[in-house]
Amino acid sequence: MRNGRRIILDTNIWVSYIIGRKLDEITKLILDHNLIVFSCNELEEELEEVLSRDKFTKVLHFKPDFYLNFIRNLTTIISISTNFQECPDKKDNFLFDLAIQSQSDFLVTGDKLLLDLKVDNLKVVSFKQFREHFK
């Protein structure tokens, strides 16, 4: 595995870049800054479920599988165990399990409830805050 900052991108970040047709921007950021982006089955399942919703399929150029494969090529997929129990919305606990177990530096999210959580050795930041680290 290459050396670089380890990050988790929440589903809402991926969806924003997909529907905004800006996957090239996120890809460039990842490659230019040698970022290691982690994913897991839980994140992929959530992303597939969200992208399969009618309101999104109407605006997507490709089927959800295309985007899932694209993201798989940008990420390192690991299996996680469920330990974290601190999220206000319990379905988001897996993001912190993924971040902790991958020893990530950042969890990047647009979820305001998650931005308020404090976890040792993990910066939970918005994408805007995250980009500030690479200017």
Side-chain angles (χ1 to χ4, degrees):
M1 191 179 302
R2 64 191 191 277
N3 291 329
R5 293 263 173 112
R6 296 166 164 251
I7 69 168
I8 307 302
L9 296 174
D10 193 351
T11 301
N12 55 57
I13 301 298
W14 287 116
V15 170
S16 294
Y17 275 83
I18 290 168
I19 63 172
R21 296 183 178 98
K22 295 182 179 184
L23 281 175
D24 56 332
E25 288 180 24
I26 191 79
T27 302
K28 183 173 176 15
L29 179 72
I30 291 167
L31 297 175
D32 286 355
H33 296 284
N34 199 30
L35 302 175
I36 305 166
V37 184
F38 287 91
S39 185
C40 62
N41 288 337
E42 292 83 350
L43 193 144
E44 286 187 358
E45 288 170 5
E46 182 178 65
L47 185 57
E48 181 175 25
E49 187 273 319
V50 170
L51 292 176
S52 297
R53 294 177 187 166
D54 284 342
K55 70 179 183 179
F56 293 117
T57 58
K58 292 176 183 177
V59 298
L60 297 177
H61 276 302
F62 304 103
K63 294 186 183 281
D65 282 351
F66 170 86
Y67 299 103
L68 291 169
N69 286 328
F70 186 92
I71 291 167
R72 281 184 194 114
N73 286 319
L74 285 175
T75 61
T76 300
I77 299 171
I78 66 169
S79 295
I80 59 169
S81 56
T82 54
N83 299 314
F84 195 83
Q85 299 295 318
E86 310 289 321
C87 286
D89 186 346
K90 298 299 178 202
K91 71 174 183 57
D92 290 326
N93 283 329
F94 80 88
L95 289 167
F96 288 87
D97 284 322
L98 178 58
I100 292 164
Q101 292 167 36
S102 66
Q103 299 177 337
S104 288
D105 303 298
F106 294 94
L107 168 57
V108 185
T109 183
D111 188 328
K112 292 181 184 357
L113 292 175
L114 299 185
L115 289 168
D116 292 335
L117 289 177
K118 305 291 182 236
V119 176
D120 291 344
N121 301 319
L122 177 66
K123 294 176 186 81
V124 183
V125 297
S126 69
F127 198 76
K128 181 180 178 182
Q129 293 168 320
F130 181 70
R131 281 192 316 240
E132 292 295 318
H133 288 273
F134 301 101
K135 285 192 172 184

